[in-house]
Amino acid sequence: MPLEKTEAAKLLTEIVLLTFRLEGGFLSAADKISGPAGLTAARWKVLGAVLYEKRSVAEIGRVMGLARQSVQRLADILVSEGLAAYEDNPAHKSAKLLAPTEEGYARIARLADRQTGWANRASQGIDAAELAATRDMLARLITHVEATDVPA
Amino acid sequence: MPLEKTEAAKLLTEIVLLTFRLEGGFLSAADKISGPAGLTAARWKVLGAVLYEKRSVAEIGRVMGLARQSVQRLADILVSEGLAAYEDNPAHKSAKLLAPTEEGYARIARLADRQTGWANRASQGIDAAELAATRDMLARLITHVEATDVPA
DNA sequence: GGTTACTTGACAGTATGCTGTCGTTTATCT
DNA sequence: AGATAAACGACAGCATACTGTCAAGTAACC
């Protein structure tokens, strides 16, 4: 006899599928927004993670929920393109801190208006309170999912 | 002078980042759930899309929000592994319909209980009405995002 | 019926992100 | 201080998903 899903579990299962689909749409939009500034969605993510605070590669991975190795690759590309640079980390000899260069900041500035315009249009006609509730629930789900282990 | 974000746009921007992160968590869980049944998250998605209805590759792509070519690759793999088969499409000479084989159905059955258990645990303590509201908002956002074009 | 537009599958190339593994560096514990 | 554990960067290999392009099939239009 198969296991029974709770009401919440049924809804969560629907949310999983919708999240996959929504992520695809967001990613596609992010690529189109960042393309004209010479960036991709993934590089924008990494550069954005160090805009206001220098971070090590591993730290960026934790903040964005990505594997260390994925970030390492993108960070190296950003450095090779002159959009970011590794700076010495007083707290760690080999784990250098990534920080945007002037050109890196300039690239982000070039897409800011495009991102704002997109966000304004895409959120048009949607109640802010409902969006805030959705944001809070997504944050809560992230916590729950990361704490839920899957038995081998 | 930079463009101004509406309140809803600010919230949407936060939701974008949370969605990226949540998708990563869901994907990781889906891989762990489907692994013991000899599937991956991506193959489970495609097989799941034809469980109750045969579909062409392009149709699966539309339903799941994926590129035709991505689905084609996975569908070919499923067929080569004997988990699905292409059947003649009376309405189109070359666009065959994908359908699970008996073994394909069996694989899905093998992970059903694991998925249910995960969903029950991960949704524990979360109000069903709030989850339903989130689900509805995600569906709405998908529609909005897919209708919002990004100027070149 | 024939032209045109769209859909579909196929193939190639690329970007993203994962796991696994290794040696080094840092932190912890006794 | 020394041993153990954990974190970090580096490298390799692989899965997933994208864009671009082409030929063939289907639908729409005149």
Side-chain angles (χ1 to χ4, degrees):
Chain A
M1 182 160 51
L3 215 58
E4 293 261 344
K5 272 201 184 86
T6 64
E7 185 61 25
K10 288 181 195 167
L11 290 161
L12 178 61
T13 301
E14 293 183 56
I15 286 173
V16 170
L17 289 174
L18 292 169
T19 299
F20 286 149
R21 176 132 199 183
L22 186 57
E23 194 263 354
F26 282 157
L27 201 59
S28 168
D31 271 322
K32 287 176 190 154
I33 291 167
S34 58
L39 285 172
T40 63
R43 293 164 201 200
W44 180 12
K45 276 192 222 174
V46 172
L47 206 48
V50 295
L51 268 192
Y52 308 110
E53 193 178 345
K54 303 173 186 178
R55 296 183 206 268
S56 70
V57 164
E59 203 175 346
I60 298 170
R62 278 191 299 273
V63 170
M64 311 290 299
L66 296 174
R68 222 170 55 241
Q69 295 81 344
S70 311
V71 177
Q72 184 73 58
R73 191 186 127 266
L74 292 165
D76 288 345
I77 290 173
L78 289 172
V79 170
S80 79
E81 292 183 344
L83 305 181
Y86 289 117
E87 302 184 0
D88 282 343
N89 184 351
H92 197 294
K93 195 184 298 184
S94 61
K96 298 184 181 163
L97 297 176
L98 190 71
T101 59
E102 282 309 310
E103 176 63 18
Y105 284 115
R107 294 285 181 95
I108 295 293
R110 273 177 59 191
L111 54 74
D113 273 1
R114 289 169 61 80
Q115 195 275 330
T116 298
W118 173 84
N120 283 346
R121 291 193 303 279
S123 63
Q124 205 166 21
I126 303 186
D127 182 61
E130 291 180 49
L131 282 175
T134 298
R135 175 203 55 191
D136 294 344
M137 178 58 82
L138 295 183
R140 215 172 144 198
L141 286 175
I142 289 169
T143 304
H144 273 243
V145 168
E146 290 181 350
T148 303
D149 57 37
V150 182
Chain B
M1 180 159 56
L3 215 58
E4 293 261 343
K5 273 201 184 86
T6 63
E7 186 60 25
K10 288 180 196 167
L11 290 161
L12 178 60
T13 301
E14 294 183 56
I15 287 173
V16 170
L17 288 174
L18 292 169
T19 299
F20 286 149
R21 176 132 199 183
L22 185 57
E23 193 263 353
F26 282 157
L27 200 59
S28 168
D31 271 322
K32 287 175 190 155
I33 291 167
S34 57
L39 285 172
T40 64
R43 294 167 200 199
W44 180 11
K45 277 191 221 173
V46 172
L47 206 48
V50 295
L51 268 191
Y52 308 110
E53 193 178 345
K54 303 173 186 178
R55 295 183 207 268
S56 70
V57 163
E59 202 175 348
I60 297 170
R62 278 192 299 272
V63 170
M64 310 291 297
L66 296 174
R68 224 170 53 242
Q69 294 81 345
S70 311
V71 177
Q72 184 74 57
R73 189 186 129 266
L74 293 165
D76 288 345
I77 291 172
L78 289 172
V79 170
S80 78
E81 292 183 344
L83 305 181
Y86 289 118
E87 302 184 358
D88 282 342
N89 184 350
H92 196 296
K93 196 182 298 183
S94 60
K96 298 183 181 162
L97 297 176
L98 189 72
T101 59
E102 282 309 312
E103 176 64 18
Y105 284 115
R107 293 286 180 94
I108 295 293
R110 273 177 58 191
L111 54 74
D113 273 1
R114 289 169 61 80
Q115 195 276 330
T116 297
W118 172 85
N120 283 347
R121 289 193 305 278
S123 62
Q124 204 166 23
I126 302 186
D127 182 61
E130 290 180 50
L131 282 175
T134 298
R135 173 202 56 191
D136 294 344
M137 178 57 81
L138 294 183
R140 215 172 143 197
L141 286 175
I142 289 170
T143 304
H144 274 243
V145 168
E146 290 181 351
T148 303
D149 56 36
V150 183

